[in-house]
Amino acid sequence: MSGRKIGNFVRLTASYIVLIALSIAALYPAVWILMASFRPGKSLYSKTLIPEQFTLAHYTELFTSPVYMFGTWYANTFKIALFSMLIGVVLTLLTSYAVSRFRFRARKTALSVVLILGMFPGFMSMIAIYLLLKEFNLLDTHIALILVYASGAPLMGTFIAKGYLDTIPRSLDEAARIDGASNFGIFTRVILPLSRPMITYMALTQFVGPWVDFIFARLILRTKENWTVAVGMWDMVNTITNSNFTLFSAGAVMISVPIMILFAFLQRLLVDGLTAGASKG
């Protein structure tokens, strides 16, 4: 065996070892959570990964326990994520359409402002947002979360959506304008039908963010009936006297189900939207 073949074999073997190690590191926590959700008891520790006995009692307790109110938290989270997604996608599409199709004096300045603001972490603005919501009496309300999540969507998605819209030929706009279409008509009848992959990508990312967010929801929501799933599950394990880790695992599995379903059915459009939007800025 030549030296080149030996080198290729060593590199290929090392690559497989690294990929296997990364796969184990990524999959083991998910498998552990799944198996813990079927394990009797409340303990975090277990001698074996696979439970000796399987039970669905934790899933039943999630939706029947008057203490945890998981069903209410689940509905609250779904409502917040859904409305944040709808409003956020509309705002991002309108913003990206304006900077992609129109040329105005402050266009480059607006893009620079969006880019710079998107670089700052959300933690920096939490106190200011908290005080602003307090002045408008919006603390402990779902509308506060929806407004903040939806308003922040253009900061994260404008450049990717603009890159996708730039790939749509302007000749289609000109042909529609010759037929008498207005700018809004071009947007709704030409741009939106051709932007389904990008809309899918933005909808998924905008839905997942509010669905799993904990920090801002914990800051704003105070009463137990208004909590989201993330805040409610944190309450399950935040004290020594209330550390039901197997119930927490069942809740984590329930949280992941809608996201897995969405990604499974919309995977092709998701990849198309991400790659097309990243190819041209």
Side-chain angles (χ1 to χ4, degrees):
M1 184 179 292
S2 64
R4 178 176 294 180
K5 291 184 178 179
I6 293 176
N8 291 336
F9 176 77
V10 172
R11 285 194 295 269
L12 184 62
T13 303
S15 299
Y16 277 116
I17 292 175
V18 172
L19 290 175
I20 291 173
L22 291 176
S23 300
I24 294 175
L27 293 176
Y28 180 79
V31 175
W32 188 92
I33 288 292
L34 180 61
M35 293 296 102
S37 67
F38 296 108
R39 184 182 300 123
K42 299 181 179 180
S43 175
L44 175 66
Y45 173 76
S46 176
K47 295 181 180 179
T48 59
L49 176 64
I50 300 177
E52 297 178 358
Q53 295 180 350
F54 285 81
T55 179
L56 296 176
H58 303 307
Y59 291 94
T60 303
E61 185 178 358
L62 283 176
F63 294 97
T64 57
S65 173
V67 177
Y68 297 115
M69 304 173 63
F70 187 84
T72 302
W73 301 337
Y74 206 86
N76 293 341
T77 309
F78 183 80
K79 178 181 67 176
I80 293 171
L82 180 63
F83 283 101
S84 299
M85 177 193 70
L86 294 176
I87 300 174
V89 167
V90 171
L91 293 177
T92 305
L93 283 173
L94 292 175
T95 304
S96 58
Y97 176 71
V99 297
S100 174
R101 284 303 196 260
F102 300 107
R103 297 294 181 267
F104 46 92
R105 180 176 299 178
R107 176 176 175 273
K108 292 185 178 180
T109 303
L111 288 173
S112 299
V113 170
V114 171
L115 178 62
I116 293 173
L117 291 177
M119 293 180 179
F120 291 97
F123 296 98
M124 297 181 62
S125 61
M126 279 192 177
I127 300 302
I129 293 175
Y130 176 85
L131 294 176
L132 187 63
L133 294 175
K134 183 179 180 181
E135 291 297 323
F136 285 96
N137 295 322
L138 291 177
L139 291 180
D140 197 27
T141 62
H142 295 161
I143 189 65
L145 295 179
I146 294 173
L147 288 175
V148 174
Y149 292 144
S151 301
L155 296 178
M156 306 302 296
T158 295
F159 276 89
I160 295 179
K162 175 188 175 298
Y164 185 92
L165 296 182
D166 287 343
T167 63
I168 299 177
R170 292 180 178 273
S171 58
L172 298 177
D173 299 24
E174 296 171 358
R177 188 168 284 109
I178 291 174
D179 291 337
S182 62
N183 289 326
F184 185 75
I186 294 173
F187 176 71
T188 56
R189 299 181 182 180
V190 178
I191 300 300
L192 291 185
L194 296 176
S195 303
R196 285 185 299 173
M198 177 50 56
I199 295 174
T200 301
Y201 165 74
M202 289 191 299
L204 284 175
T205 53
Q206 186 60 25
F207 182 87
V208 172
W211 184 264
V212 299
D213 178 62
F214 164 76
I215 298 177
F216 187 69
R218 182 70 181 89
L219 178 67
I220 301 300
L221 302 178
R222 302 305 175 87
T223 57
K224 199 169 186 177
E225 294 78 10
N226 290 333
W227 283 356
T228 60
V229 170
V231 179
M233 290 184 61
W234 167 81
D235 186 64
M236 292 182 184
V237 293
N238 75 322
T239 62
I240 298 177
T241 58
N242 188 23
S243 54
N244 196 337
F245 290 100
T246 50
L247 189 65
F248 179 90
S249 300
V253 173
M254 292 300 301
I255 289 177
S256 65
V257 169
I259 300 175
M260 289 190 298
I261 294 175
L262 288 175
F263 273 89
F265 283 98
L266 302 176
Q267 183 177 9
R268 181 181 61 82
L269 291 175
L270 175 64
V271 174
D272 291 344
L274 180 60
T275 54
S279 62
K280 184 177 181 181

